[in-house]
Amino acid sequence: MSRLDSLCRFTARRDILNHLGTAALPHGAILEIGLGNGRTDSHLAEVFPTRRIVAFDRALAAHGSSVPAPGDLVLGEIAETGLAFVGQNAALAHADIGSGYAEVDAVTLTSFPGLMAGVLARDGIAVSGLPLDHRGLVALALPATVPTDRYFLYVGA
């Protein structure tokens, strides 16, 4: 797959979030792990207008129209800052923090699945650009419009 073809992750992400917008999520905040430019945070705000959305990133690089309120933005290394949200029972956690380099992503995947499982409420949903192998997460079927292995969807067990 070319790097241009891999941009289907944006439409896959949108399709998954729109699908979840009609789902009965548990009570709790939504976590956007890896704010980046802020596109997904902006979409989450449209799909879930009554939910608090907390965004995480190493540094602020979001477009000016997508900068979260100061109390909803957590800056620093996600592996460290995310620990404060373990047990906080998020309704949904979205993360697209893959680098595209297998060796870098392998390091991320040593601890990240546990963090995702730890921040979710029971029956909360994890949406990830990386596969999350953890006993506290059960894989869910993707919407038909999302190619296999392009994005991953889990429920907190």
Side-chain angles (χ1 to χ4, degrees):
M1 174 185 320
S2 75
R3 289 188 38 108
L4 183 59
D5 287 335
S6 75
L7 287 178
C8 74
R9 77 180 195 275
F10 290 125
T11 55
R13 184 183 318 162
R14 182 204 59 217
D15 290 355
I16 289 170
L17 296 176
N18 288 347
H19 171 74
L20 293 174
T22 64
L25 295 177
H27 179 73
I30 292 175
L31 307 183
E32 169 61 348
I33 302 172
L35 176 63
N37 186 276
R39 288 180 190 95
T40 304
D41 188 72
S42 170
H43 194 72
L44 285 166
E46 285 189 16
V47 175
F48 302 101
T50 62
R51 299 276 184 150
R52 178 179 182 215
I53 301 169
V54 179
F56 295 76
D57 215 327
R58 288 185 179 126
L60 181 59
H63 185 275
S65 66
S66 299
V67 175
D72 294 333
L73 177 61
V74 180
L75 296 177
E77 288 299 318
I78 295 164
E80 297 167 12
T81 60
L83 293 175
F85 285 78
V86 170
Q88 296 296 310
N89 297 320
L92 183 138
H94 169 264
D96 187 17
I97 62 169
S99 69
Y101 294 98
E103 62 280 3
V104 173
D105 291 345
V107 172
T108 299
L109 288 171
T110 61
S111 61
F112 191 66
L115 178 64
M116 287 290 273
V119 300
L120 285 179
R122 181 169 179 77
D123 297 327
I125 302 293
V127 182
S128 177
L130 293 172
L132 302 175
D133 183 19
H134 191 275
R135 69 180 180 275
L137 298 170
V138 177
L140 295 172
L142 293 166
T145 58
V146 178
T148 301
D149 294 336
R150 178 62 261 162
Y151 240 80
F152 303 89
L153 190 59
Y154 303 89
V155 64

